[in-house]
């Protein structure tokens, strides 16, 4: 279970985006977040529906989410020769990642642009040579995975929870030395195993990124002909044919993922702090111009009845919802006030 969750999480991290979950029927069990904890901080790694978990995977959930004896007896034995994803899973994954095409719609090429594609394809091959994304994964993502998942999977308290079934609170007062000695009895090679899993995962992620390189080259070709004319493409081709130009083309993608470049994102924090007052002023101006949403209690009696009818809810339910929302806002304001006073 842990291996499956970590692998799925890594795929999401490497691809940078998480596709939205599929719509659920109203009578389905709501999704739950599975994850680990590092210290007091929860680290969610995947959201799944309870009914998608095996009976063994439900063992750590609240009693009302566990399998009945009949369900457990009917569940087939583990067969680790089967792939993690079923054909249905694969179809859902393909459909989910189809969101990229919806988020980034393209326009058809003109006849002139179509004619330039062969010229642009050569440049795309220079920009995305075979194995370039695998190299990025190895050089850039491997340290990230080692940091995130190394801390996550090597945390002794978290691992003791997994292998003993005891509550995490059991280990809160224990020294790390005692927990490591306990794990020396239960699972002495867990860190080595985790390292090997991380290496295997990085390699597989390199293969995954390599598998999408042909599609990326196609995308680069079509993007190039939309931005450069024939003469400009010819100039780029001449440059890429030189030793310096060829090196520049091959290194362009790795440069964009270089730790020096990625680490520069640290500057976003101070920049965001500097822009925050301006952003809040602009938000307030927009709110003043367009007004805020009305609460249920702001409506007239006739409007309240109309809303209840439209939503298929009793007016009492809508009042209760407004009260719950107000309570949540009050709690958030109190937390914010506490944080501000502590900083002061």
């Amino acid at each position: 279970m842990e291996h499956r969750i970590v692998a799925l999480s890594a795929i999401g991290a490497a691809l940078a985006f998480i596709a939205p979950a599929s719509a659920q029927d109203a009578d389905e069990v709501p999704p739950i977040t599975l994850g680990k904890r590092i210290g007091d901080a929860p680290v969610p790694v995947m959201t799944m529906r309870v009914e998608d978990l095996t009976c063994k995977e439900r063992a750590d959930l609240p009693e009302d989410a566990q399998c009945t004896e009949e369900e457990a007896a009917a569940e087939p034995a583990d067969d680790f020769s089967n792939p993690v994803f079923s054909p249905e899973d694969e179809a859902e994954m393909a459909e989910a990642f189809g969101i990229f095409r919806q988020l980034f719609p393209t326009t058809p090429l003109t006849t002139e642009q179509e004619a330039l594609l062969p010229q642009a394809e050569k440049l795309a091959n220079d920009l995305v040579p075979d194995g370039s994304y695998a190299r990025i994964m190895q050089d850039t993502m491997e340290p990230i995975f080692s940091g995130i998942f190394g801390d996550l999977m090597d945390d002794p308290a978290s691992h003791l929870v997994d292998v003993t079934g005891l509550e995490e609170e059991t280990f809160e007062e224990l020294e790390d030395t005692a927990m490591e000695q306990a794990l020396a009895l239960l699972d002495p090679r867990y860190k080595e195993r985790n390292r090997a899993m991380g290496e295997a995962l990085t390699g597989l992620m390199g293969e995954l990124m390599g598998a999408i390189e042909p599609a990326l080259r196609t995308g680069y070709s079509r993007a190039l002909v939309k931005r450069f004319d024939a003469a400009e493409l010819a100039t780029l081709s001449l440059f890429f044919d030189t030793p310096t130009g060829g090196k520049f083309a091959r290194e362009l993608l790795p440069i964009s993922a270089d730790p020096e470049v990625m680490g520069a994102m640290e500057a976003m924090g101070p920049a965001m702090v500097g822009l925050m007052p301006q952003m809040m002023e602009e938000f307030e101006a927009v709110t003043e111009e367009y007004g805020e949403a009305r609460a249920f209690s702001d409506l007239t009696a006739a409007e309240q009845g109309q809303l209840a009818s439209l939503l298929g809810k009793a007016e009492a339910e809508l009042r209760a919802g407004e009260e719950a929302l107000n309570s949540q806002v009050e709690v958030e304001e109190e937390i914010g006030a506490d944080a501000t006073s502590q900083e002061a």
Side-chain angles (χ1 to χ4, degrees), residues 191-225:
K191 288 188 177 181
E192 298 172 60
R193 184 173 64 248
N194 289 346
R195 296 291 178 272
M197 284 175 55
E199 292 174 3
L201 182 59
T202 302
L204 290 172
M205 292 307 300
E207 291 186 27
L208 170 63
M209 303 309 284
I212 68 173
E213 282 182 0
L216 289 169
R217 281 189 281 271
T218 298
Y220 267 84
S221 300
R222 298 176 67 85
L224 284 167
V225 298

Side-chain angles (χ1 to χ4, degrees), residues 1-2 4-6 8-9 31-37 42-50 52-53 57-58 60-61 152:
M1 174 63 175
E2 180 178 282
R4 178 184 177 190
I5 292 173
V6 172
L8 290 170
S9 304
I32 60 171
T33 298
L34 303 177
K36 296 283 188 183
R37 298 180 69 87
V43 184
V45 293
M46 185 179 177
T47 299
M48 298 181 69
R49 297 176 302 176
V50 171
D52 292 333
L53 304 177
E57 291 169 347
R58 294 193 207 180
D60 294 329
L61 300 181
L152 179 67

Side-chain angles (χ1 to χ4, degrees), residues 14-29:
L15 294 178
F17 295 100
I18 298 294
S22 302
Q24 298 180 18
D25 295 332
D27 58 349
E28 285 190 85
V29 179

